[in-house]
Amino acid sequence: VAEADLQEDTVSSVVLDLETRTATVTTSVESIRDQASIPQVARQEIRETFRRQASERNATSALHLVDGETKDVVVSSDPDAEGKSVSTLGYAPPVGLTAGEPEIRLSTSYGKSWVVYTKTESGDLVLHETPLSYFTTELEGVLDESRTRIVNSQGVVVYDSVSTARVGTQHIAQPGVDSRAVAAGFDTPGTAAAVTLNASNSPSGDRVVSAYNRVEGAQWTVVSYAS
């Protein structure tokens, strides 16, 4: 339980940091647009801001500004992404996103990463992508021979402390949230606890003790378990 509680604190801090970074970039985008009288000039300034952020920070692998209506990339830190649709690039922006309320999701299309989506006041989207490798040292387990996963509300693994190959797969073989530990984490946010899982309800296929805790700021639950 202490392991899951500690990991949840770490993940929540990382998520908050990424969302804050994205909010700062979004504010810069809106400021540049307000001050530049020529759209082409604004786009170039935003492009330079994105590229500088991506080159200076390990937490940023890519930044995109997406047209809210067409869902095409208007400006990007990656010149090859500009003019392409977000679906072509493998992103899936949340439906009904509200300005100022970021949402973080897993992306597995071009390398595994976490992407923060933020809506601007004008209705466009800013996408801030962070490679999964950035989190490996941040989220190392404390207990020997334990394993930590972060699982989303569809039962998909968004982080695995042992195998990056399992990221993007179902925590339990069947689609959906079939783990009692994951379900309990979503049902009781802010409460770390543990359950004993039999082989059919366990991610390892063995009887395990699994602790859980809901991640603050994301639709995710941390589960730490050991046989």
Side-chain angles (χ1 to χ4, degrees), residues 186-210:
F186 282 114
D187 290 340
T188 56
T191 303
V195 294
T196 301
L197 305 176
N198 59 33
S200 64
N201 196 242
S202 160
S204 65
D206 301 312
R207 182 178 172 85
V208 301
V209 175
S210 180

Side-chain angles (χ1 to χ4, degrees), residues 33 43 50 63-76 80-89 91 93 123-127:
R33 283 178 154 179
R43 284 197 293 270
F50 283 5
L63 278 160
H64 309 294
L65 175 63
V66 178
D67 185 288
E69 294 184 0
T70 67
K71 298 300 187 291
D72 291 337
V73 175
V74 180
V75 182
S76 175
D80 292 335
E82 293 188 5
K84 296 180 180 178
S85 70
V86 286
S87 59
T88 298
L89 295 172
Y91 298 107
D124 294 335
L125 299 174
V126 173
L127 278 59

Side-chain angles (χ1 to χ4, degrees), residues 131-171:
L132 205 65
S133 58
Y134 174 76
F135 309 106
T136 54
T137 55
E138 295 282 344
L139 301 178
E140 287 182 349
V142 177
L143 300 178
D144 291 339
E145 298 184 13
S146 66
R147 184 171 188 166
T148 296
R149 281 182 175 175
I150 307 171
V151 183
N152 68 17
S153 57
Q154 286 76 50
V156 175
V157 178
V158 302
Y159 175 82
D160 188 300
S161 63
V162 175
S163 172
T164 57
R166 293 306 306 272
V167 174
T169 67
Q170 292 293 139
H171 178 55

